[in-house]
């Protein structure tokens, strides 16, 4: 039986290249809790937990969860699922569960000398189209500039995501379409901006006439209004409507199914509480013939990589929205690539990500990164 020899938790504060604006707020930095787990053979697993939504988590709830962890004996680390069920399932903060669960799956891959996606035993490795996001900008000129920059950086891009706000969305999409090449597919992410589903449908229809192919319309209505989500899903016949904020865990997937409220769901590990519950959500998605996308919050590469590993071996995942790491400076190595419009994964044991101390120290020196130890336990 393998056991854990050391657990380290650090708070990471990372400055973004530029502020990130969505319908409900503006953010200038990403912060999360870096979880490092070392087993008795010296294998190291790394994960990240980021409290991302006050509706079900908070920085204080996560801090209390991490700093309050106690272990009477060295925990076993033979199975990430067993560790989750025995140690994590009842913890309130999804960020705490997620940080540890990602670290345990990374550790398991390294223990077995294989990329973590092979442990899911689902199917052949197959990459999915990945979107890059145009955020909400103060002017149409700034919106067009960001869209042009995305195409300049990623000329192979096949899928662009556009953040909507509920106001000026048609004009925003027209400004983008005027400066990007033909042939792109689009994800429209309203972040709950449309309280009236009939009005939301009319706007989406106008946008479709401008953009052409709309692959997904993401969470157009308020999270708690499942009836409104079901209404717009019934109206839309030119795209798939996905639940995001309305779908946090397994019970929410079942509600979506029971109410015929969406064509699919956006699964985010920080909402779900890690890889283990995300796999359970995908099992429900597949059982009921829905589809899914794998998304992310503002997260460091080890969390983005965890979602990518799930996506490449699950056929029910049809697109990914894994781009937050692209906006961050590097503080370590990553097995994640981005080519031909998709996130790719190198053949490296585990998730393939690690913090490298010289890069992290240089980032601290430049004021790009702040770190603080929260917990350090050796057994």
């Amino acid at each position: 039986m393998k056991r854990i020899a050391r657990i380290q938790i650090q708070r990471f504060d990372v400055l973004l290249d530029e502020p990130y604006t969505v319908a409900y707020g503006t953010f200038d930095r990403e912060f999360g809790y870096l979880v490092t787990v070392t087993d008795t053979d010296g294998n190291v697993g790394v994960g990240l937990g980021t409290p991302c939504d006050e509706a079900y988590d908070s920085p204080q709830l996560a801090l209390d969860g991490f700093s309050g962890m106690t272990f009477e004996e060295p925990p076993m680390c033979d199975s990430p699922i067993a560790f989750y069920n025995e140690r994590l399932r009842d913890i309130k903060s999804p960020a705490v569960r997620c940080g540890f669960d990602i670290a345990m799956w990374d550790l398991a891959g390294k223990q077995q000398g294989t990329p973590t996606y092979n442990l899911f035993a689902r199917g052949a490795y197959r990459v999915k189209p990945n979107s890059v996001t145009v955020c909400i900008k103060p002017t149409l000129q700034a919106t067009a500039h960001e869209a042009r920059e995305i195409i300049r950086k990623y000329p192979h891009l096949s899928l662009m995501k556009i953040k909507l706000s509920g106001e000026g969305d048609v004009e925003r999409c027209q400004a983008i379409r005027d400066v990007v090449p033909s042939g792109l597919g689009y994800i429209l992410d309203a972040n709950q901006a449309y309280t009236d589903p009939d009005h939301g449908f009319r706007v989406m229809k106008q946008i479709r006439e401008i953009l052409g192919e709309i692959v997904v319309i993401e969470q157009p209505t308020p999270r708690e209004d499942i009836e409104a989500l079901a209404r717009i899903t019934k109206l839309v016949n030119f795209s798939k409507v996905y639940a995001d904020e309305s779908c946090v865990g397994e019970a929410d997937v079942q509600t979506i199914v029971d109410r015929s409220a969406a064509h699919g769901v956006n699964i985010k590990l920080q909402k779900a509480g890690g890889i283990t519950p995300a796999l359970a959500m995908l099992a429900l998605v597949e059982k009921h013939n829905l589809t899914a996308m794998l998304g992310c919050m503002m997260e460091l590469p080890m969390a983005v990589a965890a979602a990518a590993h799930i996506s490449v071996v699950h056929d029910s995942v049809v697109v990914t929205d894994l781009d937050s790491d692209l906006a961050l400076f590097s503080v370590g190595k990553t097995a994640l690539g981005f080519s031909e419009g998709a996130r790719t994964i190198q053949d490296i044991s585990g998730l393939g990500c690690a913090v490298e101390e010289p890069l992290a120290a240089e980032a601290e020196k430049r004021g790009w990164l702040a770190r603080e130890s929260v917990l350090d336990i050796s057994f």
Side-chain angles (χ1 to χ4, degrees):
M1 293 188 298
K2 296 181 175 64
R3 290 190 178 271
I4 293 173
R6 188 180 184 187
I7 296 172
Q8 299 162 275
I9 301 170
Q10 287 183 306
R11 173 173 168 138
F12 262 50
D13 247 307
V14 182
L15 193 66
L16 299 178
D17 285 346
E18 59 180 78
Y20 180 91
T21 299
V22 297
Y24 53 80
T26 298
F27 309 89
D28 65 354
R29 63 189 61 242
E30 188 276 322
F31 93 92
Y33 294 93
L34 187 74
V35 179
T36 305
V37 177
T38 306
D39 71 9
T40 50
D41 291 333
N43 297 301
V44 179
V46 181
L48 184 82
T50 300
C52 51
D53 193 324
E54 294 285 347
Y56 44 82
D57 206 351
S58 70
Q60 190 60 52
L61 186 64
L63 178 59
D64 292 345
F66 279 121
S67 59
M69 299 198 79
T70 58
F71 300 90
E72 295 180 359
E73 61 181 13
M76 289 187 295
C77 56
D78 292 307
S79 164
I81 295 176
F83 186 91
Y84 187 93
N85 289 331
E86 294 169 9
R87 301 277 183 172
L88 303 177
R89 182 175 294 277
D90 294 330
I91 294 175
K92 290 183 178 180
S93 168
V96 176
R97 300 198 305 271
C98 188
F100 267 98
D101 192 51
I102 290 175
M104 295 304 294
W105 280 102
D106 184 32
L107 181 64
K110 290 170 180 173
Q111 289 170 339
Q112 297 185 40
T114 188
T116 296
Y117 61 77
N118 283 330
L119 305 183
F120 305 145
R122 295 296 303 176
Y125 175 99
R126 187 166 69 88
V127 298
K128 311 297 169 60
N130 185 74
S131 65
V132 177
T133 303
V134 180
C135 298
I136 296 171
K137 295 294 182 181
T139 67
L140 294 179
Q141 290 81 3
T143 299
H145 174 75
E146 179 163 270
R148 277 194 301 264
E149 281 298 293
I150 288 172
I151 296 300
R152 183 186 65 79
K153 291 179 181 177
Y154 312 109
H156 52 77
L157 192 71
S158 63
L159 189 61
M160 179 174 281
K161 180 170 175 175
I162 302 174
K163 289 287 187 180
L164 307 180
S165 69
E167 296 181 359
D169 291 333
V170 173
E171 294 79 6
R172 182 177 298 110
C173 291
Q174 184 66 66
I176 291 169
R177 181 64 191 88
D178 288 344
V179 299
V180 300
S182 300
L184 286 178
Y186 296 90
I187 296 174
L188 302 180
D189 185 4
N191 285 122
Q192 315 173 68
Y194 289 90
T195 57
D196 179 350
D198 292 276
H199 172 60
F201 167 69
R202 289 192 294 270
V203 174
M204 298 305 120
K205 194 172 180 181
Q206 283 184 273
I207 293 174
R208 189 243 186 164
E209 292 173 359
I210 293 167
L211 296 179
E213 182 186 9
I214 298 176
V215 178
V216 171
I217 298 171
E218 196 179 339
Q219 194 66 47
T221 54
R223 78 174 81 213
E224 69 280 357
D225 196 344
I226 300 299
E227 184 177 344
L229 183 61
R231 169 67 178 166
I232 199 168
T233 296
K234 184 178 180 179
L235 291 171
V236 170
N237 61 2
F238 53 82
S239 179
K240 300 294 186 183
V241 176
Y242 277 20
D244 181 356
E245 287 86 353
S246 292
C247 191
V248 175
E250 285 181 78
D252 300 312
V253 177
Q254 191 62 55
T255 297
I256 297 298
V257 171
D258 293 342
R259 303 280 293 275
S260 298
H263 302 111
V265 297
N266 184 355
I267 297 175
K268 295 177 180 175
L269 303 191
Q270 301 298 337
K271 290 190 305 179
I275 292 174
T276 299
L279 294 176
M281 292 173 72
L282 276 173
L284 268 181
V285 165
E286 292 166 359
K287 177 182 177 181
H288 294 288
N289 297 313
L290 300 181
T291 53
M293 61 188 290
L294 264 291
C296 62
M297 305 297 190
M298 291 307 301
E299 301 168 22
L300 294 171
M302 60 282 300
V304 178
H309 275 254
I310 295 173
S311 73
V312 296
V313 289
H314 278 80
D315 289 340
S316 59
V317 178
V318 293
V319 296
T320 61
D321 175 37
L322 303 174
D323 62 349
S324 68
D325 59 314
L326 302 176
L328 300 172
F329 57 85
S330 174
V331 293
K333 67 178 183 180
T334 176
L336 274 181
F338 188 26
S339 64
E340 300 304 316
R343 299 312 301 259
T344 59
I345 304 171
Q346 296 176 37
D347 187 11
I348 296 175
S349 297
L351 296 175
C353 300
V355 174
E356 295 182 329
E357 187 54 37
L359 289 175
E362 179 65 20
E364 280 187 301
K365 181 179 178 181
R366 292 176 177 268
W368 298 340
L369 171 68
R371 293 184 288 178
E372 179 183 0
S373 178
V374 173
L375 188 73
D376 193 339
I377 302 175
S378 295
F379 299 98

